[in-house]
Amino acid sequence: MRCLVTGATGYVGGRLVPRLLAAGHDVRCLVRDPGRLRDEPWADQVEIVKGDVTNPDGLVDALRGCDVAYYLVHTLGHRDFVRLDRRGAEVFTDAAAHAGVRRLIYLGGPDPGHGEQASDHLRSRDEVARIMLAGPVPAVVLRAAVIIGSGSASFEMLRYLTERLPVMVTPRWVRNRVQPIAIRDVLRYLVECPTRIPEDVNRAFDIGGPDVLTYADMMRRYAEVADLPPRLVLDVPALTPELSALWVGLVTPVPSAIARPLVASLIHEAIAKEHNIREYVPDPPEGLTGFAEAVRLALAKVRDADVETRWSDASWPWAPAAPLPSDPLPSDPDWSGGTVYTDARDRAVAAPPAALWRVIEAIGGEHGWYSFPLAWSARGWLDRLAGGVGLRRGRRDPQRLMVGEALDFWRVEEIVPGSLLRLRAEMRLPGRAWLEMRAEPENGRARYRQRAVFLPHGLAGHAYWAMVWPFHAVVFGGMARNIATAAEREPPDE
């Protein structure tokens, strides 16, 4: 079949595409920024089209010729996510009908029921499901609760809470029952639905793993699998979902803007009410993946730096959806409409360009930023307090980077292996910022060039630059100096 996949730059979509290809399907990816898929190993095997599910322009053409369309988009973290998700579902469903698509597949959340306390997040996911099921194109809705897999937001929350807090003061919702499902089982359902479920079936299916646990049980079992001492969990009934989200944002890499709807979804039990999908997609001979095995597999991926996709792969709500015209970096006041602030540094490096590049490409995450760690840490904490991503997103791989992936509070906008790394800031800023690092050959050795660029937005932007400018000699100057030194200490190429 020809399958269109939305959300191919996200956690589930980025894993689904290669599995659809392996199953023999033709795949077309609908993304707002095609450049984000450039470095994916499967990019040359798919058709990539530019589009936005909330914008009908060109959407029918993007869907035309496709048998199946996967809807894996949601705007979690955006202040207006309910309205945006509703519009996206309505526009996409209508475009699919006009394009002659025969089947829609949507991965949603658990059924919120009719309780008045259901979170906005769950109600929104349910609204999207109902819009698709009410449309003219038959739809299959898969309702999943907590997805366990390396790099998922739910797994990262669980992992960091358990590993960092041997004694946990927790809200009452940790006693609610949850039916987690392994990402491998979610992907198996997504891949097999188009060929196993008849085209006239139009309904939702609950999907879940074999274990029903409380969140407290999940933390204890995680500790067992990870060989950690037993965790003590203490209930504090007064800890509201809002306070819980702030607590999660402080302890885990998941920022409070994303943690808030996730936590709010956990205040209700999330258990599969039926398992009718096995009538069409039978369970594997060995059975569905249990919670402990899902955690073990996820930890092995983390340990081996073999995480396919991460929750942070998706674009941050307030970040530009696509690179701005910045090749080279925006430095023309006429283009920007005003002042562009620049901090440029360069140093001769007593090492070959390849050694310098290895240091540049490994920057961030556990390696840090090569200057004044306290300043970088403080900036990260300020960003977290403002609702931003902070530094704790880290990086997917300790040595290699790809266009579009998250790197602490930056996004990789451009990478030319061996010579150029350009990062676009996704921290909360009164303007837009880039950081560019280059390794250039010079007389048999290397020269390191570094440039930070800031496009201020209004008076607040100018005031921000004036406030941080005195620290640049320490932060950016030290960064250039220490990167050069680190490159000179690199072992020689064999």
Side-chain angles (χ1 to χ4, degrees):
M1 293 184 175
R2 173 165 289 178
C3 306
L4 181 131
V5 177
T6 64
T9 58
Y11 177 72
V12 176
R15 298 189 181 209
L16 175 63
V17 170
R19 286 161 177 80
L20 289 173
L21 292 171
H25 299 298
D26 294 329
V27 178
R28 179 183 296 167
C29 297
L30 177 74
V31 290
R32 289 185 296 169
D33 175 15
R36 289 279 305 276
L37 298 180
R38 189 194 72 186
D39 293 339
E40 293 290 349
W42 40 260
D44 60 350
Q45 303 174 54
V46 303
E47 181 184 359
I48 301 174
V49 296
K50 184 175 182 178
D52 186 334
V53 297
T54 63
N55 186 348
D57 293 342
L59 200 52
V60 173
D61 289 338
L63 286 158
R64 186 169 284 118
C66 292
D67 304 296
V68 179
Y70 288 88
Y71 193 80
L72 304 174
V73 175
H74 63 95
T75 53
L76 189 64
H78 198 287
R79 290 182 178 180
D80 201 16
F81 73 89
V82 174
R83 183 187 64 82
L84 289 175
D85 282 348
R86 180 190 306 118
R87 174 166 174 77
E90 292 171 344
V91 170
F92 191 80
T93 301
D94 184 63
H98 282 86
V101 174
R102 303 204 306 267
R103 159 75 72 206
L104 296 178
I105 300 177
Y106 170 57
L107 178 61
D111 185 353
H114 302 289
E116 296 180 358
Q117 294 182 343
S119 69
D120 289 342
H121 170 54
L122 286 186
R123 285 201 298 265
S124 175
R125 301 300 290 271
D126 183 59
E127 182 181 32
V128 171
R130 286 188 282 106
I131 289 171
M132 294 199 167
L133 291 171
V137 180
V140 168
V141 173
L142 301 179
R143 297 185 180 274
V146 174
I147 296 178
I148 301 296
S150 59
S152 76
S154 297
F155 177 73
E156 291 297 285
M157 279 176 53
L158 176 69
R159 174 187 168 202
Y160 278 83
L161 287 173
T162 308
E163 292 186 353
R164 294 186 173 185
L165 300 174
V167 178
M168 286 174 274
V169 178
T170 60
R172 184 179 295 168
W173 54 258
V174 299
R175 303 297 178 188
N176 293 337
R177 295 185 300 165
V178 182
Q179 191 166 353
I181 183 170
I183 182 63
R184 56 164 46 189
D185 289 329
V186 173
L187 293 169
R188 186 175 65 86
Y189 286 130
L190 288 170
V191 170
E192 296 194 14
C193 275
T195 54
R196 289 183 175 269
I197 298 181
E199 289 184 3
D200 60 345
V201 172
N202 182 67
R203 60 160 294 182
F205 296 92
D206 288 350
I207 58 173
D211 299 313
V212 175
L213 307 163
T214 68
Y215 204 86
D217 290 336
M218 289 168 59
M219 290 189 283
R220 293 191 183 101
R221 291 201 185 183
Y222 178 97
E224 292 175 5
V225 175
D227 292 326
L228 298 171
R231 270 29 192 168
L232 179 61
V233 180
L234 304 174
D235 287 356
V236 177
L239 200 55
T240 65
E242 189 71 22
L243 291 174
S244 299
L246 293 175
W247 163 62
V248 170
L250 290 174
V251 176
T252 79
V254 181
S256 56
I258 290 180
R260 190 174 297 111
L262 292 179
V263 166
S265 300
L266 292 170
I267 64 176
H268 309 287
E269 292 196 335
I271 301 172
K273 299 175 182 177
E274 42 82 13
H275 190 46
N276 296 337
I277 194 168
R278 65 182 165 191
E279 299 174 10
Y280 303 100
V281 184
D283 294 345
E286 68 278 11
L288 296 170
T289 308
F291 174 78
E293 177 65 7
V295 170
R296 187 190 67 77
L297 292 169
L299 288 176
K301 292 284 188 181
V302 173
R303 183 178 59 251
D304 297 338
D306 188 27
V307 179
E308 279 185 77
T309 58
R310 301 168 67 221
W311 64 270
S312 54
D313 292 339
S315 297
W316 197 240
W318 54 77
L324 297 172
S326 54
D327 189 16
L329 285 175
S331 55
D332 181 358
D334 293 334
W335 173 85
S336 69
T339 304
V340 175
Y341 294 112
T342 303
D343 181 285
R345 315 265 171 174
D346 71 272
R347 292 182 68 89
V349 182
L356 175 58
W357 176 252
R358 285 196 295 272
V359 175
I360 291 173
E361 191 175 11
I363 200 166
E366 294 183 359
H367 293 110
W369 291 87
Y370 292 95
S371 72
F372 204 180
L374 181 61
W376 286 96
S377 179
R379 185 63 185 87
W381 276 106
L382 287 173
D383 195 51
R384 298 285 285 194
L385 292 173
V389 294
L391 279 175
R392 282 206 228 106
R393 288 193 302 184
R395 49 183 293 152
R396 179 187 54 84
D397 184 285
Q399 302 297 331
R400 298 181 300 276
L401 292 172
M402 297 192 310
V403 165
E405 72 173 283
L407 176 59
D408 292 338
F409 47 44
W410 305 90
R411 179 78 59 180
V412 179
E413 180 175 286
E414 180 59 278
I415 184 167
V416 179
S419 63
L420 168 66
L421 174 62
R422 180 183 303 151
L423 307 175
R424 184 175 74 246
E426 288 194 331
M427 64 193 85
R428 293 276 196 176
L429 286 171
R432 291 172 173 166
W434 289 260
L435 178 62
E436 181 183 82
M437 291 164 276
R438 293 178 180 269
E440 300 178 353
E442 184 177 81
N443 300 324
R445 294 189 174 184
R447 177 162 289 276
Y448 174 65
R449 298 191 186 278
Q450 173 184 296
R451 184 159 56 157
V453 174
F454 182 66
L455 275 64
H457 180 70
L459 181 60
H462 294 278
Y464 173 81
W465 182 264
M467 181 178 66
V468 300
W469 179 81
F471 300 100
H472 283 185
V474 176
V475 175
F476 290 128
M479 183 177 176
R481 181 175 59 255
N482 293 333
I483 285 177
T485 300
E488 291 167 351
R489 293 173 178 168
E490 280 284 294
D493 297 332
E494 296 182 359

